[in-house]
Amino acid sequence: MEDKNIGRPSTYATIISTLTGRKYVKREKKNLVPTKLGFDVIGILQDYFQDIVDAKFTGEMEDNLDRVELGEVEWRKVIADFYKGFSEELKIADAEVERIEKEVVLSDEICEKCGKPMAIKEGRFGQFLACTGYPECQNTKPIVKSTGVKCPKCGKDILERKSRKGKIFYGCSGYPACDVSYWDKPTGEMCPKCGSMIVTGKGKNKTKKCSNPECNYKEK
């Protein structure tokens, strides 16, 4: 579907942010496209919670809540009537969710804590590795992407990383012993003016420039 409301600050924007953040949909230009996880969730709702997603049920529940507010019916009875059938549906749906979660994509890495394979999972800030021995082993770690560039300070690999807010940066694999990091992708070349690392900017032209904020060197 086309996202015609892009740029409109509202509750709609919050909803879209939540859907994309939880990987239910993804953006493709101006369109919102459901992911496999999104289709799985929709399938579970349609298969096991037909009453809840039905407009008739929603209307009846609103009427019951209005009656509770007016004192015509006790809220415990409304909840009890609802939960009786819902709890059974929830048990079945839980088993289905567990089955979907087991359909994992295994990586080539082995968990250093228990020796089981590490699986590729989707999180709020993208993919990460999680031990398949969960819940007994709760080891997780980021997926390491090497830039192929050596750290000018210690000689170790510079890796692509993500901050706690999900922003990409590039840091030395020797951290915390080595604190070299860049917000722009390092090229491995050194600035002819000051000797600092040359990085590739994020603009349209991908201009190469010096990583030293006090140096104004840029390649033409």
Side-chain angles (χ1 to χ4, degrees), residues 114 116 131-139:
C114 71
K116 292 185 178 180
C131 181
T132 54
Y134 181 88
E136 289 78 14
C137 180
Q138 300 184 25
N139 184 28

Side-chain angles (χ1 to χ4, degrees), residues 18 45 101 124 137 142 173-174 182 210 213:
T18 301
L45 290 174
E101 289 180 343
R124 182 180 178 185
C137 180
S173 58
Y182 310 96
C210 181

Side-chain angles (χ1 to χ4, degrees), residues 6-207:
I6 290 177
R8 180 185 296 176
S10 62
T11 303
Y12 172 88
T14 302
I15 294 172
I16 295 302
S17 177
T18 301
L19 291 175
T20 54
R22 294 182 180 180
K23 310 298 181 183
Y24 295 148
V25 298
K26 60 182 179 180
R27 290 189 183 276
E28 289 187 2
K29 296 182 179 179
K30 293 186 178 181
N31 296 323
L32 295 172
V33 181
T35 62
K36 180 181 181 302
L37 176 60
F39 280 118
D40 288 339
V41 170
I42 291 172
I44 290 174
L45 290 174
Q46 291 176 335
D47 291 341
Y48 303 105
F49 301 100
Q50 290 184 357
D51 292 341
I52 295 177
V53 298
D54 182 68
K56 181 180 178 181
F57 167 83
T58 304
E60 290 177 352
M61 178 57 74
E62 288 178 353
D63 290 340
N64 286 333
L65 293 176
D66 288 340
R67 292 175 63 198
V68 169
E69 186 177 3
L70 294 172
E72 297 177 357
V73 64
E74 188 181 17
W75 68 267
R76 291 183 179 85
K77 183 180 185 306
V78 173
I79 298 301
D81 291 344
F82 160 74
Y83 194 73
K84 184 177 180 180
F86 176 73
S87 61
E88 295 302 318
E89 294 175 334
L90 192 60
K91 290 178 183 178
I92 300 173
D94 276 342
E96 181 66 9
V97 169
E98 185 177 353
R99 180 191 68 78
I100 292 174
E101 289 180 343
K102 287 182 179 178
E103 295 176 357
V104 298
V105 178
L106 296 178
S107 70
D108 295 329
E109 294 199 39
I110 301 297
C111 177
E112 66 274 14
K113 292 186 177 181
C114 71
K116 292 185 178 180
M118 299 289 284
I120 300 174
K121 297 281 189 175
E122 289 282 349
R124 182 180 178 185
F125 298 128
Q127 294 183 330
F128 65 97
L129 295 178
C131 181
T132 54
Y134 181 88
E136 289 78 14
C137 180
Q138 300 184 25
N139 184 28
T140 62
K141 56 185 179 180
I143 294 177
V144 175
K145 295 181 181 180
S146 177
T147 61
V149 175
K150 299 296 182 182
C151 174
K153 186 176 179 179
C154 70
K156 294 184 178 180
D157 289 339
I158 295 179
L159 309 176
E160 179 182 307
R161 299 181 181 274
K162 282 190 177 181
S163 69
R164 292 182 179 180
K165 294 185 177 181
K167 187 176 181 180
I168 292 177
F169 72 99
Y170 305 88
C172 180
S173 58
Y175 180 85
C178 181
D179 59 357
V180 170
S181 64
Y182 310 96
W183 284 115
D184 295 313
K185 188 173 183 179
T187 63
E189 303 170 10
M190 299 313 226
C191 175
K193 191 172 180 179
C194 72
S196 299
M197 179 71 72
I198 296 291
V199 295
T200 302
K202 295 183 175 67
K204 287 185 177 181
N205 298 326
K206 303 293 183 183
T207 303

